[in-house]
Amino acid sequence: MSDVLALSGLRAACSVRLQAGGDWALRFQPIELKFNVVRRGECWLRMQGAPARLLRGGDCFVVTRTPFILASGPDVEAVNASEVFSLSGASATFGMGDDVELLGGSVCLVGPGAGELLDVLPPALIIHAESRGASSFGWLLDELDREWRSNQAGAYAMCNDLLRLIFVHALRHHITTADVADLDWLGGLRDPAIGEVLRAVHGAPEKPWRLAEMADIACMSRSSFAALFRTRVGQAPVEYATRWRMRVAASRLRNGLDSVATVAASLGYLSDAAFGAAFRRVHGKSPGQYRRESLPLS
């Protein structure tokens, strides 16, 4: 998972604090991931096509690219949160009183592996305070709360880093508690044999992995391993290894430091042509075009 997150380019984009009371409702439009922690009180999470969920103090949730409403009740008319925060900045109050307090922010995935991770996350990932494993969030939530109130130098940056860690905890909780059928390729991390193979593939992306080598690592026959891998990950083993290799290639091209030839050689390709053909099959464009489009405009 650390390898996947590294290629996904996980960044905390901003931290916000909301205090609300009375009858209130705010509508959010997350571009990618929106993360919130209920520090005090309770509120409702409303999403189209899903029943309203009551959140209480200590509950955390991540919403993926899906509009949602936070409200004092399941039927209160909502206004756009952007209007409230545009006037108040990173700390806003809304409604009458301060019955509930939330800390949160936006988490962005900007790397070449972002799409594949976002596609397997549920629209809303909720971790209730009383759920198994929720105690691991305690220290991070307390630190997040302290930093918000401290007014110390660098507090805003600390909040962003803490939000990033909380998101990783939330993702880990999802992987360990969700039904394997709902995890898609993340389900491979739950299987010891498949997990060993994934670690080996991620650790040596320059290697042209063969089915027999991966089956040996899993201590299985080739046919049994191939069937299990496809069931858990949703791809054939060699296909996954090739796609991972090309995701690593895309990450190295994005940094703008290495030429296409250097990246190709670092990943074990003996010719730029062979590398270009493999890269185009996965990303739909040549390595040179990908590199040019990824570099910031000067």
Side-chain angles (χ1 to χ4, degrees), residues 173-205:
H173 181 83
H174 175 59
I175 292 171
T176 56
T177 60
D179 191 310
V180 172
D182 297 330
L183 288 172
D184 200 272
W185 60 267
L186 284 174
L189 300 175
R190 291 256 295 269
D191 188 292
I194 301 301
E196 283 296 320
V197 174
L198 293 178
R199 278 188 285 273
V201 170
H202 292 179

PDB file of all heavy atoms in Angstrom, residues 173-205:
ATOM      1  N   HIS A 173      -8.044   0.914   7.354  1.00  0.00           N
ATOM      2  CA  HIS A 173      -9.230   0.367   8.017  1.00  0.00           C
ATOM      3  C   HIS A 173     -10.184  -0.235   6.990  1.00  0.00           C
ATOM      4  O   HIS A 173     -10.743  -1.321   7.197  1.00  0.00           O
ATOM      5  CB  HIS A 173      -9.924   1.486   8.805  1.00  0.00           C
ATOM      6  CG  HIS A 173     -11.143   1.045   9.545  1.00  0.00           C
ATOM      7  ND1 HIS A 173     -11.086   0.450  10.777  1.00  0.00           N
ATOM      8  CD2 HIS A 173     -12.459   1.113   9.218  1.00  0.00           C
ATOM      9  CE1 HIS A 173     -12.309   0.168  11.193  1.00  0.00           C
ATOM     10  NE2 HIS A 173     -13.159   0.561  10.267  1.00  0.00           N
ATOM     11  N   HIS A 174     -10.367   0.444   5.861  1.00  0.00           N
ATOM     12  CA  HIS A 174     -11.247  -0.053   4.809  1.00  0.00           C
ATOM     13  C   HIS A 174     -10.742  -1.381   4.251  1.00  0.00           C
ATOM     14  O   HIS A 174     -11.524  -2.325   4.051  1.00  0.00           O
ATOM     15  CB  HIS A 174     -11.343   0.999   3.697  1.00  0.00           C
ATOM     16  CG  HIS A 174     -12.127   0.570   2.509  1.00  0.00           C
ATOM     17  ND1 HIS A 174     -13.453   0.198   2.595  1.00  0.00           N
ATOM     18  CD2 HIS A 174     -11.774   0.445   1.195  1.00  0.00           C
ATOM     19  CE1 HIS A 174     -13.898  -0.130   1.381  1.00  0.00           C
ATOM     20  NE2 HIS A 174     -12.896   0.003   0.529  1.00  0.00           N
ATOM     21  N   ILE A 175      -9.443  -1.472   4.013  1.00  0.00           N
ATOM     22  CA  ILE A 175      -8.873  -2.691   3.437  1.00  0.00           C
ATOM     23  C   ILE A 175      -9.053  -3.877   4.384  1.00  0.00           C
ATOM     24  O   ILE A 175      -9.321  -5.005   3.954  1.00  0.00           O
ATOM     25  CB  ILE A 175      -7.379  -2.484   3.117  1.00  0.00           C
ATOM     26  CG1 ILE A 175      -7.228  -1.485   1.962  1.00  0.00           C
ATOM     27  CG2 ILE A 175      -6.698  -3.801   2.760  1.00  0.00           C
ATOM     28  CD1 ILE A 175      -5.803  -1.056   1.710  1.00  0.00           C
ATOM     29  N   THR A 176      -8.928  -3.645   5.684  1.00  0.00           N
ATOM     30  CA  THR A 176      -8.978  -4.749   6.642  1.00  0.00           C
ATOM     31  C   THR A 176     -10.397  -5.125   7.055  1.00  0.00           C
ATOM     32  O   THR A 176     -10.604  -6.220   7.580  1.00  0.00           O
ATOM     33  CB  THR A 176      -8.176  -4.399   7.913  1.00  0.00           C
ATOM     34  OG1 THR A 176      -8.678  -3.173   8.476  1.00  0.00           O
ATOM     35  CG2 THR A 176      -6.710  -4.237   7.588  1.00  0.00           C
ATOM     36  N   THR A 177     -11.387  -4.262   6.807  1.00  0.00           N
ATOM     37  CA  THR A 177     -12.740  -4.536   7.291  1.00  0.00           C
ATOM     38  C   THR A 177     -13.766  -4.752   6.189  1.00  0.00           C
ATOM     39  O   THR A 177     -14.797  -5.372   6.436  1.00  0.00           O
ATOM     40  CB  THR A 177     -13.236  -3.393   8.199  1.00  0.00           C
ATOM     41  OG1 THR A 177     -13.243  -2.159   7.463  1.00  0.00           O
ATOM     42  CG2 THR A 177     -12.346  -3.247   9.429  1.00  0.00           C
ATOM     43  N   ALA A 178     -13.518  -4.266   4.982  1.00  0.00           N
ATOM     44  CA  ALA A 178     -14.515  -4.374   3.916  1.00  0.00           C
ATOM     45  C   ALA A 178     -14.585  -5.802   3.377  1.00  0.00           C
ATOM     46  O   ALA A 178     -13.653  -6.604   3.540  1.00  0.00           O
ATOM     47  CB  ALA A 178     -14.181  -3.406   2.780  1.00  0.00           C
ATOM     48  N   ASP A 179     -15.689  -6.120   2.725  1.00  0.00           N
ATOM     49  CA  ASP A 179     -15.819  -7.389   2.028  1.00  0.00           C
ATOM     50  C   ASP A 179     -14.793  -7.435   0.898  1.00  0.00           C
ATOM     51  O   ASP A 179     -14.656  -6.481   0.142  1.00  0.00           O
ATOM     52  CB  ASP A 179     -17.238  -7.509   1.465  1.00  0.00           C
ATOM     53  CG  ASP A 179     -17.546  -8.914   0.953  1.00  0.00           C
ATOM     54  OD1 ASP A 179     -16.732  -9.441   0.171  1.00  0.00           O
ATOM     55  OD2 ASP A 179     -18.596  -9.454   1.313  1.00  0.00           O
ATOM     56  N   VAL A 180     -14.079  -8.547   0.769  1.00  0.00           N
ATOM     57  CA  VAL A 180     -13.043  -8.668  -0.257  1.00  0.00           C
ATOM     58  C   VAL A 180     -13.613  -8.406  -1.637  1.00  0.00           C
ATOM     59  O   VAL A 180     -12.955  -7.805  -2.498  1.00  0.00           O
ATOM     60  CB  VAL A 180     -12.380 -10.065  -0.197  1.00  0.00           C
ATOM     61  CG1 VAL A 180     -11.439 -10.260  -1.374  1.00  0.00           C
ATOM     62  CG2 VAL A 180     -11.611 -10.233   1.102  1.00  0.00           C
ATOM     63  N   ALA A 181     -14.853  -8.814  -1.879  1.00  0.00           N
ATOM     64  CA  ALA A 181     -15.463  -8.626  -3.194  1.00  0.00           C
ATOM     65  C   ALA A 181     -15.626  -7.149  -3.537  1.00  0.00           C
ATOM     66  O   ALA A 181     -15.726  -6.797  -4.717  1.00  0.00           O
ATOM     67  CB  ALA A 181     -16.823  -9.325  -3.237  1.00  0.00           C
ATOM     68  N   ASP A 182     -15.652  -6.277  -2.524  1.00  0.00           N
ATOM     69  CA  ASP A 182     -15.831  -4.845  -2.753  1.00  0.00           C
ATOM     70  C   ASP A 182     -14.518  -4.088  -2.900  1.00  0.00           C
ATOM     71  O   ASP A 182     -14.519  -2.885  -3.134  1.00  0.00           O
ATOM     72  CB  ASP A 182     -16.636  -4.221  -1.595  1.00  0.00           C
ATOM     73  CG  ASP A 182     -18.038  -4.786  -1.497  1.00  0.00           C
ATOM     74  OD1 ASP A 182     -18.591  -5.174  -2.554  1.00  0.00           O
ATOM     75  OD2 ASP A 182     -18.571  -4.851  -0.371  1.00  0.00           O
ATOM     76  N   LEU A 183     -13.398  -4.780  -2.751  1.00  0.00           N
ATOM     77  CA  LEU A 183     -12.098  -4.108  -2.731  1.00  0.00           C
ATOM     78  C   LEU A 183     -11.400  -4.085  -4.079  1.00  0.00           C
ATOM     79  O   LEU A 183     -10.396  -3.405  -4.248  1.00  0.00           O
ATOM     80  CB  LEU A 183     -11.176  -4.781  -1.709  1.00  0.00           C
ATOM     81  CG  LEU A 183     -11.520  -4.540  -0.239  1.00  0.00           C
ATOM     82  CD1 LEU A 183     -10.646  -5.409   0.657  1.00  0.00           C
ATOM     83  CD2 LEU A 183     -11.372  -3.077   0.128  1.00  0.00           C
ATOM     84  N   ASP A 184     -11.892  -4.861  -5.043  1.00  0.00           N
ATOM     85  CA  ASP A 184     -11.242  -4.954  -6.348  1.00  0.00           C
ATOM     86  C   ASP A 184      -9.785  -5.365  -6.134  1.00  0.00           C
ATOM     87  O   ASP A 184      -9.495  -6.253  -5.360  1.00  0.00           O
ATOM     88  CB  ASP A 184     -11.371  -3.619  -7.090  1.00  0.00           C
ATOM     89  CG  ASP A 184     -11.179  -3.766  -8.593  1.00  0.00           C
ATOM     90  OD1 ASP A 184     -10.023  -3.685  -9.033  1.00  0.00           O
ATOM     91  OD2 ASP A 184     -12.173  -3.974  -9.308  1.00  0.00           O
ATOM     92  N   TRP A 185      -8.824  -4.678  -6.790  1.00  0.00           N
ATOM     93  CA  TRP A 185      -7.424  -5.111  -6.684  1.00  0.00           C
ATOM     94  C   TRP A 185      -6.837  -4.891  -5.293  1.00  0.00           C
ATOM     95  O   TRP A 185      -5.844  -5.537  -4.927  1.00  0.00           O
ATOM     96  CB  TRP A 185      -6.567  -4.416  -7.743  1.00  0.00           C
ATOM     97  CG  TRP A 185      -6.556  -2.930  -7.658  1.00  0.00           C
ATOM     98  CD1 TRP A 185      -7.370  -2.066  -8.317  1.00  0.00           C
ATOM     99  CD2 TRP A 185      -5.686  -2.122  -6.859  1.00  0.00           C
ATOM    100  NE1 TRP A 185      -7.076  -0.770  -7.977  1.00  0.00           N
ATOM    101  CE2 TRP A 185      -6.035  -0.778  -7.088  1.00  0.00           C
ATOM    102  CE3 TRP A 185      -4.644  -2.412  -5.977  1.00  0.00           C
ATOM    103  CZ2 TRP A 185      -5.391   0.284  -6.471  1.00  0.00           C
ATOM    104  CZ3 TRP A 185      -3.991  -1.356  -5.352  1.00  0.00           C
ATOM    105  CH2 TRP A 185      -4.372  -0.026  -5.609  1.00  0.00           C
ATOM    106  N   LEU A 186      -7.450  -4.018  -4.487  1.00  0.00           N
ATOM    107  CA  LEU A 186      -6.966  -3.855  -3.121  1.00  0.00           C
ATOM    108  C   LEU A 186      -7.143  -5.132  -2.310  1.00  0.00           C
ATOM    109  O   LEU A 186      -6.451  -5.339  -1.309  1.00  0.00           O
ATOM    110  CB  LEU A 186      -7.720  -2.710  -2.431  1.00  0.00           C
ATOM    111  CG  LEU A 186      -7.340  -1.281  -2.813  1.00  0.00           C
ATOM    112  CD1 LEU A 186      -8.284  -0.296  -2.148  1.00  0.00           C
ATOM    113  CD2 LEU A 186      -5.897  -0.982  -2.435  1.00  0.00           C
ATOM    114  N   GLY A 187      -8.076  -5.994  -2.736  1.00  0.00           N
ATOM    115  CA  GLY A 187      -8.292  -7.242  -2.028  1.00  0.00           C
ATOM    116  C   GLY A 187      -7.070  -8.138  -2.029  1.00  0.00           C
ATOM    117  O   GLY A 187      -6.924  -8.996  -1.151  1.00  0.00           O
ATOM    118  N   GLY A 188      -6.178  -7.958  -3.003  1.00  0.00           N
ATOM    119  CA  GLY A 188      -4.957  -8.745  -3.029  1.00  0.00           C
ATOM    120  C   GLY A 188      -4.090  -8.525  -1.811  1.00  0.00           C
ATOM    121  O   GLY A 188      -3.315  -9.419  -1.412  1.00  0.00           O
ATOM    122  N   LEU A 189      -4.199  -7.353  -1.185  1.00  0.00           N
ATOM    123  CA  LEU A 189      -3.398  -7.059  -0.002  1.00  0.00           C
ATOM    124  C   LEU A 189      -3.845  -7.876   1.204  1.00  0.00           C
ATOM    125  O   LEU A 189      -3.102  -7.989   2.181  1.00  0.00           O
ATOM    126  CB  LEU A 189      -3.486  -5.556   0.320  1.00  0.00           C
ATOM    127  CG  LEU A 189      -2.996  -4.613  -0.787  1.00  0.00           C
ATOM    128  CD1 LEU A 189      -3.240  -3.175  -0.388  1.00  0.00           C
ATOM    129  CD2 LEU A 189      -1.526  -4.848  -1.077  1.00  0.00           C
ATOM    130  N   ARG A 190      -5.054  -8.424   1.142  1.00  0.00           N
ATOM    131  CA  ARG A 190      -5.575  -9.213   2.253  1.00  0.00           C
ATOM    132  C   ARG A 190      -5.134 -10.666   2.177  1.00  0.00           C
ATOM    133  O   ARG A 190      -5.272 -11.407   3.157  1.00  0.00           O
ATOM    134  CB  ARG A 190      -7.114  -9.151   2.242  1.00  0.00           C
ATOM    135  CG  ARG A 190      -7.697  -7.790   2.594  1.00  0.00           C
ATOM    136  CD  ARG A 190      -8.240  -7.759   3.994  1.00  0.00           C
ATOM    137  NE  ARG A 190      -9.368  -8.640   4.156  1.00  0.00           N
ATOM    138  CZ  ARG A 190     -10.640  -8.280   3.981  1.00  0.00           C
ATOM    139  NH1 ARG A 190     -10.934  -7.034   3.617  1.00  0.00           N
ATOM    140  NH2 ARG A 190     -11.606  -9.148   4.181  1.00  0.00           N
ATOM    141  N   ASP A 191      -4.652 -11.121   1.027  1.00  0.00           N
ATOM    142  CA  ASP A 191      -4.265 -12.509   0.842  1.00  0.00           C
ATOM    143  C   ASP A 191      -2.756 -12.624   1.031  1.00  0.00           C
ATOM    144  O   ASP A 191      -1.987 -11.990   0.322  1.00  0.00           O
ATOM    145  CB  ASP A 191      -4.660 -12.979  -0.553  1.00  0.00           C
ATOM    146  CG  ASP A 191      -4.449 -14.469  -0.738  1.00  0.00           C
ATOM    147  OD1 ASP A 191      -3.277 -14.899  -0.756  1.00  0.00           O
ATOM    148  OD2 ASP A 191      -5.448 -15.190  -0.863  1.00  0.00           O
ATOM    149  N   PRO A 192      -2.271 -13.426   1.996  1.00  0.00           N
ATOM    150  CA  PRO A 192      -0.823 -13.496   2.263  1.00  0.00           C
ATOM    151  C   PRO A 192       0.005 -13.863   1.038  1.00  0.00           C
ATOM    152  O   PRO A 192       1.050 -13.250   0.786  1.00  0.00           O
ATOM    153  CB  PRO A 192      -0.725 -14.570   3.352  1.00  0.00           C
ATOM    154  CG  PRO A 192      -2.057 -14.557   4.031  1.00  0.00           C
ATOM    155  CD  PRO A 192      -3.046 -14.253   2.946  1.00  0.00           C
ATOM    156  N   ALA A 193      -0.432 -14.861   0.267  1.00  0.00           N
ATOM    157  CA  ALA A 193       0.344 -15.293  -0.896  1.00  0.00           C
ATOM    158  C   ALA A 193       0.393 -14.213  -1.959  1.00  0.00           C
ATOM    159  O   ALA A 193       1.462 -13.899  -2.510  1.00  0.00           O
ATOM    160  CB  ALA A 193      -0.243 -16.582  -1.473  1.00  0.00           C
ATOM    161  N   ILE A 194      -0.767 -13.614  -2.242  1.00  0.00           N
ATOM    162  CA  ILE A 194      -0.817 -12.555  -3.250  1.00  0.00           C
ATOM    163  C   ILE A 194      -0.059 -11.334  -2.764  1.00  0.00           C
ATOM    164  O   ILE A 194       0.637 -10.652  -3.524  1.00  0.00           O
ATOM    165  CB  ILE A 194      -2.275 -12.192  -3.592  1.00  0.00           C
ATOM    166  CG1 ILE A 194      -3.022 -13.418  -4.111  1.00  0.00           C
ATOM    167  CG2 ILE A 194      -2.329 -11.069  -4.608  1.00  0.00           C
ATOM    168  CD1 ILE A 194      -2.413 -14.039  -5.343  1.00  0.00           C
ATOM    169  N   GLY A 195      -0.164 -11.040  -1.463  1.00  0.00           N
ATOM    170  CA  GLY A 195       0.557  -9.902  -0.908  1.00  0.00           C
ATOM    171  C   GLY A 195       2.056 -10.027  -1.076  1.00  0.00           C
ATOM    172  O   GLY A 195       2.743  -9.043  -1.382  1.00  0.00           O
ATOM    173  N   GLU A 196       2.592 -11.233  -0.889  1.00  0.00           N
ATOM    174  CA  GLU A 196       4.022 -11.450  -1.087  1.00  0.00           C
ATOM    175  C   GLU A 196       4.429 -11.168  -2.523  1.00  0.00           C
ATOM    176  O   GLU A 196       5.478 -10.570  -2.798  1.00  0.00           O
ATOM    177  CB  GLU A 196       4.388 -12.888  -0.716  1.00  0.00           C
ATOM    178  CG  GLU A 196       4.483 -13.158   0.769  1.00  0.00           C
ATOM    179  CD  GLU A 196       5.610 -12.351   1.421  1.00  0.00           C
ATOM    180  OE1 GLU A 196       6.688 -12.219   0.810  1.00  0.00           O
ATOM    181  OE2 GLU A 196       5.391 -11.834   2.532  1.00  0.00           O
ATOM    182  N   VAL A 197       3.610 -11.600  -3.458  1.00  0.00           N
ATOM    183  CA  VAL A 197       3.911 -11.360  -4.871  1.00  0.00           C
ATOM    184  C   VAL A 197       3.847  -9.873  -5.188  1.00  0.00           C
ATOM    185  O   VAL A 197       4.715  -9.334  -5.894  1.00  0.00           O
ATOM    186  CB  VAL A 197       2.941 -12.154  -5.763  1.00  0.00           C
ATOM    187  CG1 VAL A 197       3.149 -11.799  -7.236  1.00  0.00           C
ATOM    188  CG2 VAL A 197       3.126 -13.647  -5.550  1.00  0.00           C
ATOM    189  N   LEU A 198       2.837  -9.192  -4.679  1.00  0.00           N
ATOM    190  CA  LEU A 198       2.723  -7.750  -4.937  1.00  0.00           C
ATOM    191  C   LEU A 198       3.930  -7.003  -4.390  1.00  0.00           C
ATOM    192  O   LEU A 198       4.449  -6.086  -5.039  1.00  0.00           O
ATOM    193  CB  LEU A 198       1.431  -7.209  -4.317  1.00  0.00           C
ATOM    194  CG  LEU A 198       0.123  -7.700  -4.935  1.00  0.00           C
ATOM    195  CD1 LEU A 198      -1.071  -7.116  -4.189  1.00  0.00           C
ATOM    196  CD2 LEU A 198       0.047  -7.335  -6.415  1.00  0.00           C
ATOM    197  N   ARG A 199       4.389  -7.378  -3.203  1.00  0.00           N
ATOM    198  CA  ARG A 199       5.569  -6.724  -2.639  1.00  0.00           C
ATOM    199  C   ARG A 199       6.799  -6.956  -3.521  1.00  0.00           C
ATOM    200  O   ARG A 199       7.616  -6.055  -3.719  1.00  0.00           O
ATOM    201  CB  ARG A 199       5.821  -7.222  -1.215  1.00  0.00           C
ATOM    202  CG  ARG A 199       4.972  -6.530  -0.166  1.00  0.00           C
ATOM    203  CD  ARG A 199       5.389  -6.925   1.246  1.00  0.00           C
ATOM    204  NE  ARG A 199       4.943  -8.269   1.569  1.00  0.00           N
ATOM    205  CZ  ARG A 199       3.743  -8.544   2.066  1.00  0.00           C
ATOM    206  NH1 ARG A 199       2.865  -7.566   2.270  1.00  0.00           N
ATOM    207  NH2 ARG A 199       3.395  -9.790   2.351  1.00  0.00           N
ATOM    208  N   ALA A 200       6.928  -8.172  -4.047  1.00  0.00           N
ATOM    209  CA  ALA A 200       8.069  -8.476  -4.911  1.00  0.00           C
ATOM    210  C   ALA A 200       8.001  -7.681  -6.211  1.00  0.00           C
ATOM    211  O   ALA A 200       9.005  -7.116  -6.658  1.00  0.00           O
ATOM    212  CB  ALA A 200       8.105  -9.981  -5.211  1.00  0.00           C
ATOM    213  N   VAL A 201       6.831  -7.619  -6.808  1.00  0.00           N
ATOM    214  CA  VAL A 201       6.660  -6.877  -8.068  1.00  0.00           C
ATOM    215  C   VAL A 201       6.916  -5.396  -7.845  1.00  0.00           C
ATOM    216  O   VAL A 201       7.610  -4.734  -8.631  1.00  0.00           O
ATOM    217  CB  VAL A 201       5.247  -7.118  -8.638  1.00  0.00           C
ATOM    218  CG1 VAL A 201       4.965  -6.169  -9.800  1.00  0.00           C
ATOM    219  CG2 VAL A 201       5.105  -8.566  -9.097  1.00  0.00           C
ATOM    220  N   HIS A 202       6.359  -4.848  -6.775  1.00  0.00           N
ATOM    221  CA  HIS A 202       6.554  -3.427  -6.481  1.00  0.00           C
ATOM    222  C   HIS A 202       8.008  -3.118  -6.170  1.00  0.00           C
ATOM    223  O   HIS A 202       8.497  -2.028  -6.475  1.00  0.00           O
ATOM    224  CB  HIS A 202       5.674  -3.006  -5.302  1.00  0.00           C
ATOM    225  CG  HIS A 202       4.208  -3.032  -5.614  1.00  0.00           C
ATOM    226  ND1 HIS A 202       3.248  -2.700  -4.683  1.00  0.00           N
ATOM    227  CD2 HIS A 202       3.544  -3.357  -6.739  1.00  0.00           C
ATOM    228  CE1 HIS A 202       2.058  -2.827  -5.230  1.00  0.00           C
ATOM    229  NE2 HIS A 202       2.213  -3.225  -6.481  1.00  0.00           N
ATOM    230  N   GLY A 203       8.699  -4.072  -5.544  1.00  0.00           N
ATOM    231  CA  GLY A 203      10.086  -3.839  -5.161  1.00  0.00           C
ATOM    232  C   GLY A 203      11.074  -3.940  -6.306  1.00  0.00           C
ATOM    233  O   GLY A 203      12.203  -3.450  -6.184  1.00  0.00           O
ATOM    234  N   ALA A 204      10.683  -4.562  -7.403  1.00  0.00           N
ATOM    235  CA  ALA A 204      11.587  -4.719  -8.554  1.00  0.00           C
ATOM    236  C   ALA A 204      10.834  -4.440  -9.850  1.00  0.00           C
ATOM    237  O   ALA A 204      10.616  -5.348 -10.664  1.00  0.00           O
ATOM    238  CB  ALA A 204      12.190  -6.112  -8.567  1.00  0.00           C
ATOM    239  N   PRO A 205      10.408  -3.186 -10.065  1.00  0.00           N
ATOM    240  CA  PRO A 205       9.620  -2.882 -11.267  1.00  0.00           C
ATOM    241  C   PRO A 205      10.412  -3.031 -12.556  1.00  0.00           C
ATOM    242  O   PRO A 205       9.830  -3.138 -13.638  1.00  0.00           O
ATOM    243  CB  PRO A 205       9.190  -1.420 -11.051  1.00  0.00           C
ATOM    244  CG  PRO A 205      10.239  -0.862 -10.145  1.00  0.00           C
ATOM    245  CD  PRO A 205      10.626  -1.985  -9.238  1.00  0.00           C
TER     246      PRO A 205
END
